[in-house]
Amino acid sequence: MTAPFRSEQMTVKPEWIDYNGHLNMAYYNVLFDEGADQVYPLMGFGPDYLERTGCTTYTAEFHLSYVRELHVNDPVFVTFQLVDYDAKRFHSYQEIHHADGWLAACGEAMTLHVDQSGPRVAPMPDDVLAKVGALASAHATLPRPERAGASIGIKRR
């Protein structure tokens, strides 16, 4: 596995373009989500996880920064770095890169493991927690992303 995880290449679709001629802000989230879907099986989550366990994940918080515009048919990939985790949640950081290598956007998430019978936040099963821990170990040597933990606000003097 690469560290950070790198998705397969994806393409910006024509229907995702806004009236300004670039990728609409909502579709950056779609790309982040599709990138996360590719790493989730490595963490023990997958298409059958809800059916098998009665549990799923909810994104509790997501911060997105737009760095550079994307346009129709741009080839992109998404990276995923597991920053931290515990038995009930994980903190991840993602970047969308153009296939040429430049950064288009970054996103940071706090994701909860949820038992749907409540629904309520619940510990991950031991086998899943072990896989999340293995991914965290693979990412432990990576530097903390420079943009992680950024806040929003107007700086006053």
Side-chain angles (χ1 to χ4, degrees):
M1 175 186 7
T2 60
F5 174 85
R6 181 177 165 158
S7 75
E8 295 175 0
Q9 187 169 294
M10 297 176 267
T11 303
V12 174
K13 298 179 181 181
E15 59 269 25
W16 294 353
I17 302 303
D18 66 17
Y19 57 84
N20 293 315
H22 56 76
L23 184 62
N24 178 278
M25 60 186 283
Y27 292 99
Y28 284 85
N29 281 314
V30 170
L31 289 168
F32 282 125
D33 196 46
E34 289 184 1
D37 284 348
Q38 292 181 33
V39 74
Y40 262 36
L42 298 175
M43 299 170 69
F45 308 114
D48 67 335
Y49 186 70
L50 175 61
E51 183 180 321
R52 188 170 45 84
T53 66
C55 297
T56 190
T57 59
Y58 287 4
T59 301
E61 190 169 347
F62 194 84
H63 299 180
L64 195 153
S65 294
Y66 307 97
V67 178
R68 190 166 165 187
E69 294 177 4
L70 289 169
H71 299 92
V72 68
N73 297 323
D74 276 349
V76 298
F77 63 89
V78 176
T79 61
F80 180 101
Q81 180 176 342
L82 189 58
V83 176
D84 198 5
Y85 76 103
D86 63 20
K88 297 180 181 181
R89 60 197 168 179
F90 56 92
H91 174 192
S92 60
Y93 176 83
Q94 294 176 273
E95 292 182 340
I96 299 172
H97 291 265
H98 188 278
D100 289 344
W102 49 265
L103 178 65
C106 56
E108 187 173 9
M110 180 61 65
T111 304
L112 308 176
H113 183 262
V114 176
D115 179 338
Q116 287 290 81
S117 68
R120 65 183 174 279
V121 178
M124 295 175 233
D126 290 341
D127 63 320
V128 172
L129 190 58
K131 289 178 181 176
V132 171
L135 184 64
S137 292
H139 291 183
T141 59
L142 296 171
R144 181 172 176 84
E146 182 180 321
R147 292 176 175 263
S151 63
I152 190 170
I154 299 172
K155 294 179 183 170
R156 307 278 182 194
R157 292 182 190 234

